[in-house]
Amino acid sequence: MSVSRRQALGLAIAAPIATPIATQAARAAAAGPVLPDRASFAATPIAYLDSASTHPISLGARKAMDAYVAGRTLDPLAPPPVDRAATLATFARLVNADPQEVTWVQSTTMGEQAVLRALGLPHAGGRIVTDMLHFYAAFPMYQEFAKRGVDVAWVKPRDGRILLEDMARAIVPGTKLVSLSLVSTYNGFQHDLKAVCALAHAVGALVYADIIHAAGAVPVDLHDSGVDFAACATYKWLMGDFGLGFLYARRGVLDALPQGDFGYYGFAAPDAPPGIALSPPQTHVYPMDPPGDAPTSYRRRPGALGHFGTGTYAQAVVAAIDHGLNYIDAIGVSAIQAHAQALIGALRDGLNARGYRIITPPGTRTPLLTALLTDARARLSEPLARARVRVSLHDHHLRISPSVFNDLDDVDRLLAALPRA
């Protein structure tokens, strides 16, 4: 890669400077890691361009998880556990939400299903509008809803986009829910979420957004968008791990919905202070318990936790998430997005030169780039394995997703390994 090309793409090139070393170190610590940041991740011979499938765990997150395990093995030198309430608050700040609007869920899909249960779906019936750039594994669920009497409207993409006018035609009076992916896992298309919410709210519908490919990768402002519900897992752009994610429910929306989930974390003692600190219901069944007319006395916790809080969750993953969120905060989502776009631009140029048909719409500012290729998995598996390059390969398309540790050398290595389309 030539110096001029790197400069044109906006990637930093080291140059001698006269600033004292101590001052440089202080500035670097204040500004967070400089991108590309390979030092925060384990060295690997692989050019890994598949973070939209699974983001590598950073060395810092691994250390945080090791510290959690040390505590679980009763190591007297183990540090205190991560403050889980603070982690929820950090995520809330990342997506511009209030901490009480956020709770833990096992996965994005579990978050989406919790919302559907709260709405009484599929049994209550009604109309759902979704689109064909939503997460493809949700398609069978909505197909099953249709078999059970739900009126499911499917909005089709045009030129890799879901057009707002097509959404407007589908979101008619009587629509109960609009369900979409803010950023499509297929090709990186990003909805104008605020505009979709305005259409939905105008006819009395609520909006659910899958934000797994948005949170941590592109700026997200849930309050400004007006979205009613959102969910994501953490093993992608939040740099956490499998088994834990977040569910957002807009303040006030839950007041009109019956509770669909009941569990340990959703209830507290009647006199428990506000917040999400653990305070189990007061029992009246054991020796020396205070008397009561029922087995327990309790109050429902407020907000998302009270409505959706159920059983225990993967607490080792909280340590990884906590580190990932603080890492993202130190760099800034806008800087992460800009870095990815520099690499995406080079990838677009290289794929076009090799004759690939790119189906990620021009102007998209997400870190996913998808191209069509007949028999992509069969044709590309061997040459990419030989070149030690990892992307997401499917039957007839490939998806490339660079992250904070990638650089233009990774892009060049991928392009050199690709045959002409």
Side-chain angles (χ1 to χ4, degrees):
M1 177 69 64
S2 68
V3 169
S4 60
R5 183 178 172 192
R6 292 180 187 274
Q7 290 173 327
L9 288 168
L11 272 74
I13 301 171
I17 53 176
T19 308
I21 291 176
T23 304
Q24 294 178 45
R27 288 179 179 174
V34 176
L35 303 182
D37 176 22
R38 290 190 182 274
S40 294
F41 296 83
T44 173
I46 299 170
Y48 190 85
L49 292 158
D50 195 19
S51 288
S53 293
T54 307
H55 200 287
I57 292 175
S58 70
L59 296 174
R62 177 178 175 175
K63 183 178 179 181
M65 295 175 81
D66 287 344
Y68 169 82
V69 173
R72 292 285 286 113
T73 57
L74 307 183
D75 184 340
L77 299 180
V82 169
D83 182 344
R84 300 192 294 273
T87 304
L88 282 175
T90 303
F91 173 76
R93 186 170 65 250
L94 176 73
V95 296
N96 191 25
D98 295 334
Q100 281 201 334
E101 295 175 308
V102 177
T103 190
W104 304 105
V105 286
Q106 177 184 345
S107 65
T108 314
T109 298
M110 294 298 285
E112 184 169 4
Q113 291 184 350
V115 170
L116 294 168
R117 286 194 301 274
L119 293 173
L121 293 164
H123 308 294
R127 181 177 175 85
I128 295 176
V129 174
T130 188
D131 68 69
M132 294 186 180
L133 290 181
H134 190 20
F135 180 40
Y136 56 85
F139 294 169
M141 176 174 66
Y142 290 116
Q143 288 175 261
E144 287 295 316
F145 279 24
K147 292 177 183 178
R148 288 158 173 77
V150 177
D151 176 17
V152 180
W154 300 89
V155 179
K156 297 180 180 179
R158 290 195 270 171
D159 296 324
R161 303 175 185 270
I162 301 297
L163 301 185
L164 195 60
E165 54 261 40
D166 291 339
M167 294 293 285
R169 277 190 286 271
I171 302 171
V172 297
T175 301
K176 179 176 289 187
L177 179 70
V178 177
S179 181
L180 54 81
S181 291
L182 176 53
V183 173
S184 172
T185 188
Y186 176 65
N187 71 346
F189 164 76
Q190 183 172 352
H191 275 281
D192 182 341
L193 186 56
K194 188 172 184 176
V196 172
C197 289
L199 290 172
H201 293 163
V203 299
L206 299 173
V207 180
Y208 164 80
D210 170 340
I211 60 170
I212 193 170
H213 284 293
V218 298
V220 175
D221 190 330
L222 296 181
H223 279 173
D224 182 68
S225 74
V227 73
D228 302 290
F229 306 100
C232 66
T234 64
Y235 61 89
K236 296 182 188 281
W237 304 106
L238 295 180
M239 307 182 197
D241 198 13
F242 294 96
L244 200 58
F246 300 102
L247 174 61
Y248 163 84
R250 183 163 61 88
R251 185 184 298 276
V253 172
L254 293 179
D255 297 339
L257 297 179
Q259 188 164 355
D261 294 323
F262 302 88
Y264 180 72
Y265 285 97
F267 301 103
D271 58 351
I276 63 174
L278 187 62
S279 178
Q282 171 65 61
T283 60
H284 305 297
V285 296
Y286 303 125
M288 303 181 70
D289 276 353
D293 297 329
T296 63
S297 298
Y298 62 87
R299 66 173 178 84
R300 204 181 88 181
R301 294 179 185 274
L305 181 62
H307 210 92
F308 297 111
T310 53
T312 53
Y313 44 85
Q315 295 184 18
V317 183
V318 177
I321 297 169
D322 188 72
H323 182 274
L325 289 170
N326 287 314
Y327 177 85
I328 291 165
D329 184 61
I331 299 173
V333 174
S334 294
I336 292 172
Q337 182 185 40
H339 173 72
Q341 287 307 299
L343 302 178
I344 292 287
L347 286 162
R348 273 190 179 274
D349 292 344
L351 290 173
N352 283 327
R354 285 159 176 76
Y356 287 76
R357 179 185 167 194
I358 297 174
I359 55 172
T360 299
T364 301
R365 298 281 298 167
T366 62
L368 290 78
L369 189 67
T370 302
L372 296 182
L373 180 69
T374 302
D375 299 325
R377 183 181 285 112
R379 292 175 62 182
L380 298 181
S381 292
E382 184 178 344
L384 293 185
R386 190 165 53 245
R388 293 185 175 182
V389 175
R390 168 85 174 267
V391 301
S392 183
L393 290 177
H394 301 266
D395 288 344
H396 303 299
H397 72 273
L398 63 149
R399 186 188 66 190
I400 311 162
S401 48
S403 189
V404 293
F405 50 82
N406 292 117
D407 59 20
L408 285 169
D409 290 337
D410 295 329
V411 171
D412 287 345
R413 192 158 143 194
L414 167 62
L415 295 175
L418 290 176
R420 290 195 61 83

